[in-house]
Amino acid sequence: METKQGKNPEMERKQQDVTSVLLREERLFKPRKEVADIAYVKDWEAELAAGNDIEAYWANKAQQFEWFAPWTQTLDTSEAPFYKWFVGGKTNIAYNAVDRHVRTGRRYKLALLYVNERGDERKVTYYELYREVNKAANALKKLGVKKGDRVALYLPPCVESVVSMLACAKIGAVHNVVYAGFSVHALAERINDAEAKVLITADGTFRRGQVIDLKAVSDEAVSSCPSVETTIVVKHAGNPITMSDLSGKEVFFHTLVEGEPSECRAERMDAEDMLYILYTSGSTGKPKGVVHTTGGYMVETATTLKDVFDIHDDDLWWCTADIGWVTGHSYIVYAPLLLGTSTLVYEGAPDYPQPDALWSIVERYGVTKFYTAPTAIRHLMRFGDKWPQCRDLRSLRILGTVGEPINPEAWMWYYKHVGNERCPIMDTWWQTETGSFMISPVPTAPLKPGSATKPLPGIHADVVDQDGKLVPPGKGGFLIITTPWPSMLRTLYKDPERYVKTYWEVIPGGVYCPGDIARKDEDGYLWIQGRADDVLKIAGHRIGTSEVESAFVSHAAVSEAAVIGKPDPIRNEVIKAFLILKEGRTGDAHLVEELKKHVRHELGPVAVVGEIVFVQSLPKTRSGKIMRRVLKARELGIDAGDLTTLVE
Ligand code: WTA
């Protein structure tokens, strides 16, 4: 993050943006009576006050789960920023998410409802899920997977992906899910960094009427992953694939679990034992392996879902994210199952086969709580109001968004046309690193379109300048989290130094710095404006500029690359690349197309290239670091600030 070089043009632009938003945005939406009457959090301010004593607050929330042994200390700060929660406590998150419900009236309740864009469905009760998880857990054990071993998952959102994650958790193996839109290189890099022993993949996944072959990508990746002993293949899309004839190296999921016992003892996990690694983009090329542990993650994901979306026993919860992102981990899989609710798992695009794809599912199944990304809302808005209007959306009670700031226009469209002016919108701010919602309203909070409101009870955040001094209301600065929280990342896998440097040493005072720019208004509401660092947010997906740059320079024609985010009305940002070509290469339209394809192949469809320009030189510091902010300032037509360190 460019904090030490004077003015930050990005921050200034965002300050200007938000000023204009704040000037216009005076609407306040008070909670409706029918929402407030049944809400768990009746009095928002009182609950926020209760959260001031973080230890007491979170210890109380942790009581709703089953612990095999109680914790002796709620929070250990002695090795900060390596915090520990629920010290000495023993539990198992899969046991709490599945086994616990099987002994109650929820035994035959719908746990998973899988739906895809072709209209296929699969319903799994808690009891069925229990059996499937146990069989898969036993099968993994048979392959020699033990507590602490890493298992990589490269799967579409489907029943088996949920089962596989829970099976790992049940036996204490650490899952490392890789988004199935990532390509060979990204998959191999993540498997190798985690040194995964097993890879679970599928034949294919459905996307816009096509089947994408995942097995081919896995094969190519595994050929450079020496740690992988076995590849397990889920037969899912039915596309033709070839299995290796090396016996034992590759096996079908259904063959493997067949005949396995449907009982499996839950591994006794320490609250601080690793639950999963999830790679995410940072400012440098190498993805960061965010490490989440068991106890605190369990407590906070479930608590936040319960309080923010007011989850009751008659709910059908739908989070439209992919299982490969943290949103899918926390809010498709763990939190809803921990609460014993029914969670909808969707595989497909939001506008396929028609722009009412999502609304027709809400109608067909009677979804009550719906959680999606602003980019999806902006995309669907374009097709007009008639698509949500022609569907019966009366079952909806609460709506939500995540992933990037939501502009008031999209908020209003969502509120009017999807929620019919009945459903409050929960704008939840959080990150892969935070594990759970951090800044978000609850249903009884008065809402301002475009603001995620306040830090949740038990969470404390503020806005400061680069010296860590609080900035006055209305002024922009760096968002910080001032107290530890249970579902916080514990470290970066195999790189504790990077953990300390990236998050805890940016702003003085021992506070967590998420890398976002924000501002607080007179009412204490937070307005998040976007990233302060070299991380792009394309359609809600996070990707580092340097990852994209390395993808460009891995092409034979490219000598140097600099990448910035270019504002995009639907996707928030797309990639704009400045490239220096190698001697003798010409930047024609043909090469532009080839490069776009190349980057997509390297990084997957997340990397949407909007524009490529060929240049003779790039702005650099004396030490040779590309000054992306200069390019960005030029792109946005604003002053680039203090450029004295610039040589070229
Ligand atoms: C951004 C996604 C504004 C933010 C859960 C953060 C948001 C990054 C919001 C994390 C929101 C997420 N309003 N910005 N409601 N939610 N962000 O790790 O920049 O994929 O730092 O986690 O998304 O992205 P990640």
Side-chain angles (χ1 to χ4, degrees), residues 20 36 56 67 128 132 142 153 369 395 450 481 502 516 535 567:
S20 57
W67 294 80
E128 288 165 333
E132 293 305 315
K142 214 182 216 173
L153 270 62
K369 311 282 163 76
S395 60
I481 312 291
T502 312
D516 275 30
V535 170

Side-chain angles (χ1 to χ4, degrees), residues 15-32:
Q15 279 171 17
Q16 285 160 10
D17 282 0
V18 85
T19 307
S20 57
V21 166
L22 278 177
L23 287 178
R24 268 186 298 121
E25 202 41 76
E26 285 169 352
R27 287 172 286 207
L28 191 72
F29 292 79
K30 298 254 174 70
R32 292 163 57 88

Side-chain angles (χ1 to χ4, degrees), residues 448 453-455 520-526:
K448 299 184 187 188
T453 74
K454 299 186 181 184
K520 205 178 189 178
D521 70 16
E522 297 285 348
D523 299 327
Y525 277 47
L526 290 161

Side-chain angles (χ1 to χ4, degrees), residues 327 402-405 427-432 516 531 537 542:
T327 312
V402 60
E404 54 189 294
D427 175 352
T428 63
W429 178 92
W430 59 296
Q431 307 181 293
T432 305
D516 275 30
R531 302 286 311 180
K537 267 284 177 171
R542 192 164 151 179

Side-chain angles (χ1 to χ4, degrees), residues 466-530:
Q466 58 203 45
D467 301 319
K469 286 210 267 318
L470 290 182
V471 300
K475 227 178 145 347
F478 297 102
L479 179 68
I480 54 164
I481 312 291
T482 55
T483 50
W485 63 101
S487 67
M488 64 198 301
L489 80 164
R490 297 307 196 259
T491 188
L492 293 175
Y493 192 59
K494 296 197 291 198
D495 204 349
E497 271 166 41
R498 190 175 178 194
Y499 164 72
V500 176
K501 239 175 108 184
T502 312
Y503 304 107
W504 301 95
E505 287 182 346
V506 179
I507 303 288
V511 293
Y512 174 85
C513 182
D516 275 30
I517 298 168
R519 113 187 354 229
K520 205 178 189 178
D521 70 16
E522 297 285 348
D523 299 327
Y525 277 47
L526 290 161
W527 299 75
I528 316 286
Q529 276 107 64

